[in-house]
Amino acid sequence: MSQKATVAQKAFPPSLPGLLIDDAVRAALLEDLGRAGDLTTNATLPEEATAKAVLSSREAGVICGMEFARKAFILINPDVTFTALVKDGVRVKPGDIIAIVEGNARAILSAERVALNFLMHLSGISSYTARFADLIAHTHARVCDTRKTIPGMRTFAKYAVKCGGGSNHRFGLDDAILIKDNHIAVAGGVAKAILAARAYAGHLVKIEVEVDGLDQFDEALSVNADVILLDNMGPELLEKAVKINAGRARLEASGNIAFDTIKAIAETGVDYISTSKITMAAPTLDIGLDIELK
């Protein structure tokens, strides 16, 4: 096998541009520091005080957001040392230490909440995603996110989904065409909407259409939709769609996705299962920061 083929087949870990992280963390710090800075810390600690803090997970989960946490401390004081003991995407147990922070005590305490907010939120998404992904690991289906994300946090939420073993759906309205029921209603039908989209889109833009029954599904197949979203269909109907499809289009299931339903849905043979729950309903992962007393 050639080196080129080997590289193409390798699954690289997810990553984010540093500038995006810098801007998000800086904005969060400015929001927290307000007009006068950390009154509590500045009033109770001498300027020269130093400290060592330990960040640890208080429950099992998948870590995400380590670089966000590091930036929070470094942007307050570049002399603070942040030693990450795990990488994003690593599974942890209750009590596992994930990082050690040392340096100026004021800087550590002033950055604490912003660092933890990012870590807890993003690790919550990656942990919740992993729970869904684990349930369908025996199938070829992949659990995907949606555009239902907290405004301003979409890129980071989708990064967390990848860290948890999920896949990303489109990032916005501009990177793929997804024809939904309201588009179909105005366009005058599934086929008309797909044909209009194909005439409009560039050759690299994928066209997906949402259908809610086998009649619309057959219509989407007749005009060669790239991806067909099977909305709110039970396992029996999904199995019929997979059989009719015979590999022609990629199939995505959506609606009524939960821990107790996703396994049966994946076993029907669909390629993707999308749910907003992994970005909108994920509880935060409990992570704490504790000062080590001398």
Side-chain angles (χ1 to χ4, degrees):
M1 184 179 293
S2 69
Q3 180 65 26
K4 182 177 181 181
T6 302
V7 171
Q9 293 174 12
K10 182 179 179 180
F12 294 105
S15 61
L16 281 173
L19 285 175
L20 294 181
I21 298 174
D22 285 358
D23 288 347
V25 175
R26 183 175 287 106
L29 288 170
L30 290 172
E31 176 185 55
D32 211 21
L33 292 169
R35 295 170 297 177
D38 185 350
L39 294 180
T40 306
T41 297
N42 293 343
T44 58
L45 301 182
E47 188 175 356
E48 68 278 6
T50 61
K52 178 180 179 181
V54 173
L55 280 80
S56 58
S57 180
R58 293 169 178 166
E59 58 183 322
V62 179
I63 294 298
C64 182
M66 293 299 288
E67 184 61 15
F68 292 83
R70 188 185 76 84
K71 281 293 181 181
F73 297 107
I74 300 303
L75 286 175
I76 293 288
N77 187 322
D79 293 328
V80 170
T81 301
F82 182 89
T83 304
L85 302 182
V86 301
K87 295 182 179 180
D88 286 355
V90 170
R91 298 189 182 221
V92 295
K93 305 181 300 297
D96 282 356
I97 298 174
I98 64 173
I100 297 173
V101 189
E102 299 180 85
N104 184 269
R106 284 187 174 185
I108 291 173
L109 294 184
S110 293
E112 173 186 0
R113 179 42 52 199
V114 167
L116 290 177
N117 281 350
F118 277 112
L119 267 176
M120 293 171 69
H121 176 63
L122 295 178
S123 296
I125 292 174
S126 58
S127 300
Y128 209 59
T129 301
R131 290 180 64 187
F132 279 104
D134 288 349
L135 289 169
I136 61 173
H138 63 294
T139 74
H140 77 270
R142 301 296 301 270
V143 61
C144 302
D145 50 41
T146 71
R147 283 171 45 243
K148 294 180 182 178
T149 55
I150 295 173
M153 289 291 292
R154 180 174 298 167
T155 296
F156 308 138
K158 285 179 174 285
Y159 167 74
V161 167
K162 291 282 284 184
C163 287
S167 294
N168 294 150
H169 211 286
R170 58 178 180 163
F171 272 69
L173 297 172
D174 61 340
D175 61 337
I177 291 176
L178 174 49
I179 303 167
K180 305 197 77 173
D181 53 353
N182 287 332
H183 299 103
I184 293 168
V186 177
V190 170
K192 285 185 177 180
I194 294 172
L195 293 173
R198 183 166 292 118
Y200 180 90
H203 67 288
L204 294 180
V205 178
K206 292 287 187 179
I207 299 174
E208 179 174 12
V209 62
E210 174 187 281
V211 302
D212 57 15
L214 292 184
D215 288 345
Q216 285 189 328
F217 179 68
D218 289 337
E219 191 177 351
L221 283 177
S222 72
V223 288
N224 302 314
D226 297 310
V227 186
I228 303 176
L229 191 161
L230 307 165
D231 189 40
N232 283 302
M233 295 187 187
E236 185 176 343
L237 203 55
L238 290 173
E239 285 183 355
K240 289 182 180 179
V242 169
K243 185 175 181 180
I244 294 169
N245 181 56
R248 284 178 285 177
R250 291 297 183 97
L251 301 184
E252 174 186 341
S254 185
N256 192 33
I257 310 301
F259 292 130
D260 60 351
T261 63
I262 193 169
K263 181 175 180 288
I265 291 171
E267 289 175 348
T268 64
V270 296
D271 302 295
Y272 306 105
I273 302 172
S274 59
T275 173
S276 63
K277 290 181 179 178
I278 55 178
T279 53
M280 295 298 279
T284 58
L285 188 70
D286 190 5
I287 297 172
L289 180 149
D290 296 295
I291 298 293
E292 281 198 345
L293 299 177
K294 297 179 180 179

